[in-house]
Amino acid sequence: MANVTLRDVKKAYPNGFEAIKGVDVDVADGQFCVLVGPSGCGKSTLLRMVAGLETITSGEINIGGKVVNQVEPADRDIAMVFQNYALYPHMSVFNNMAYGLRNRGMKEAEIKTRVEEAARILELGTMLTRKPGQLSGGQRQRVAMGRAIVRQPKVFLFDEPLSNLDAKLRISMRVEIRKLQRRLNVTSIYVTHDQLEAMTLADILVVMNGGQVEQVGNPLAIYEKPATTFVASFIGAPPMNLMSTRQDEIKSQLGGSAGEAGILGIRPEDLVITDQTPSGGVALSLTVEAIERVGAETFVYGSRAPDEQRVSATPGELPPGEIIVRIPGTEAPAIGAKIRVAATRNKLHLFSNDGRTRIEA
């Protein structure tokens, strides 16, 4: 086992494009770290730099107290699980898991012991003679994980390993991955674009955007106190409602705080339908445009007047002026109805005009 430390790590390509713009991350021994962000944010590039599959332009990568900038991937004592499984189709499950160990010259008796133990952990014992084409997607992913486990590395690296699975299987597999990581207690770095996957797996969450780290910390702490409007809108589903504090209705309710902040954020679950305006809180008038009933809860989509437009923190997330209210149960106001929703002061999130700085409400 080992800790992983990244210090001012950068990656620039010959054409001048900066994929990674100076990342600092500390992953403690045995921690499960998740890199999350939209496509193109640099998370997979960063993971490949830790693996040694991408060279770094500057900075330092330290694994287990050793700087590995110039160390070959095979000598970094890491094991990687890929999105596409990367299994040999002509080999049995046993031979796929044993292949790397044989290349290292390990004795067959030790290989057999390690493969059978990994197969037992992953419930693959009855499938060792099968070939990948005879397995389901979830079983193939377990074989890929088994191949990493038999290495007994210091660090596991996962590059969007569940992206090719259907929704139901993704949920069960992420639970299995977390249980496995806790059982083995191996330092792990996991890449995903799925914020729900990130929230449920991570000990430490690294939110990336445009080659930079927006925020690092405990998943729930990040959810409760996002540092920027990007984090606020990316972490959480549905996304946080963000609107300008310069609008008269909001400015008058926020009082002095409106002068300090340019953007107000309220999570959909923190809005309640009520005629009352809470002391120190905020109330908004909406016209109901759409209703989504998803079982135990309902999403109410409301529009505001044209001069009360929503801030677009991440392009394409919500139309301007749209506010989402998340309410329990299936009862909801009729489409076209005029409603008033409110949030208490302790549920408000305030940010600077550029969305880069959090201001405590």
Side-chain angles (χ1 to χ4, degrees):
M1 296 185 289
N3 62 323
V4 178
T5 303
L6 281 63
R7 286 287 172 264
D8 197 25
V9 172
K10 297 179 181 179
K11 175 66 178 183
Y13 291 97
N15 63 3
F17 174 68
E18 287 185 284
I20 303 294
K21 303 175 182 178
V23 167
D24 293 284
V25 174
D26 290 292
V27 186
D29 188 14
Q31 270 192 328
F32 198 117
C33 171
V34 177
L35 309 179
V36 67
S39 297
C41 72
K43 56 190 184 294
S44 287
T45 299
L46 189 62
L47 189 78
R48 289 173 62 84
M49 291 162 75
V50 174
L53 302 176
E54 288 271 2
T55 58
I56 75 171
T57 302
S58 62
E60 181 180 289
I61 298 176
N62 187 304
I63 299 177
K66 178 183 178 181
V67 177
V68 298
N69 291 22
Q70 306 301 322
V71 176
E72 291 297 316
D75 299 322
R76 295 193 181 194
D77 203 4
I78 56 95
M80 195 160 180
V81 179
F82 296 93
Q83 177 180 349
N84 62 358
Y85 318 136
L87 302 177
Y88 297 104
H90 63 288
M91 290 185 182
S92 67
V93 169
F94 183 97
N95 288 331
N96 264 285
M97 293 169 67
Y99 184 76
L101 301 182
R102 286 183 177 137
N103 281 349
R104 290 169 175 262
M106 185 176 290
K107 293 181 179 180
E108 283 297 321
E110 177 64 16
I111 291 173
K112 185 174 185 295
T113 298
R114 289 197 185 190
V115 170
E116 289 180 349
E117 174 61 13
R120 184 186 63 79
I121 292 171
L122 294 167
E123 298 181 357
L124 292 169
T126 62
M127 305 173 194
L128 290 176
T129 59
R130 297 186 193 177
K131 292 182 179 178
Q134 299 171 296
L135 305 177
S136 68
Q139 290 166 340
R140 292 179 198 178
Q141 192 55 271
R142 279 189 277 158
V143 174
M145 290 167 58
R147 186 176 51 195
I149 291 170
V150 297
R151 290 271 311 278
Q152 298 181 0
K154 289 182 179 177
V155 179
F156 284 139
L157 303 179
F158 298 88
D159 190 8
E160 303 216 37
L162 307 183
S163 295
N164 292 335
L165 305 180
D166 62 61
K168 183 177 180 180
L169 192 53
R170 280 181 71 122
I171 293 172
S172 62
M173 282 301 298
R174 77 173 180 236
V175 171
E176 290 305 314
I177 286 175
R178 194 62 178 102
K179 285 164 59 179
L180 178 65
Q181 193 273 339
R182 283 181 174 144
R183 178 175 179 176
L184 299 175
N185 197 32
V186 177
T187 307
S188 300
I189 303 177
Y190 186 106
V191 161
T192 182
H193 63 274
D194 186 327
Q195 62 88 25
L196 179 59
E197 195 167 285
M199 289 287 291
T200 54
L201 285 172
D203 293 320
I204 177 173
L205 189 61
V206 180
V207 185
M208 296 187 65
N209 182 33
Q212 302 179 86
V213 172
E214 291 270 334
Q215 192 170 356
V216 179
N218 174 274
L220 287 179
I222 289 176
Y223 180 83
E224 291 169 355
K225 289 194 173 184
T228 67
T229 53
F230 173 82
V231 177
S233 59
F234 191 83
I235 300 296
M240 182 183 286
N241 300 298
L242 297 168
M243 59 211 85
S244 172
T245 62
R246 306 305 178 196
Q247 300 151 12
D248 290 340
E249 182 183 17
I250 294 174
K251 187 175 181 180
S252 62
Q253 295 179 65
L254 285 177
S257 298
E260 302 173 24
I263 300 172
L264 166 68
I266 310 174
R267 293 208 177 274
E269 62 268 30
D270 292 331
L271 285 166
V272 295
I273 299 175
T274 177
D275 292 329
Q276 305 297 316
T277 299
S279 176
V282 165
L284 307 168
S285 298
L286 305 177
T287 300
V288 178
E289 300 286 352
I291 300 292
E292 283 185 345
R293 293 179 174 85
V294 293
E297 57 193 11
T298 297
F299 302 146
V300 178
Y301 292 79
S303 63
R304 306 183 64 207
D307 63 339
E308 299 173 346
Q309 298 301 294
R310 179 186 186 276
V311 173
S312 181
T314 303
E317 280 203 335
L318 289 175
E322 185 168 84
I323 299 293
I324 302 178
V325 184
R326 186 177 186 169
I327 58 177
T330 58
E331 294 297 321
I335 293 175
K338 307 292 184 181
I339 62 172
R340 195 154 174 84
V341 298
T344 56
R345 185 74 173 192
N346 66 332
K347 298 297 184 180
L348 305 183
H349 303 263
L350 297 176
F351 303 93
S352 59
N353 252 322
D354 62 3
R356 299 296 307 164
T357 305
R358 178 183 178 85
I359 299 167
E360 293 303 325

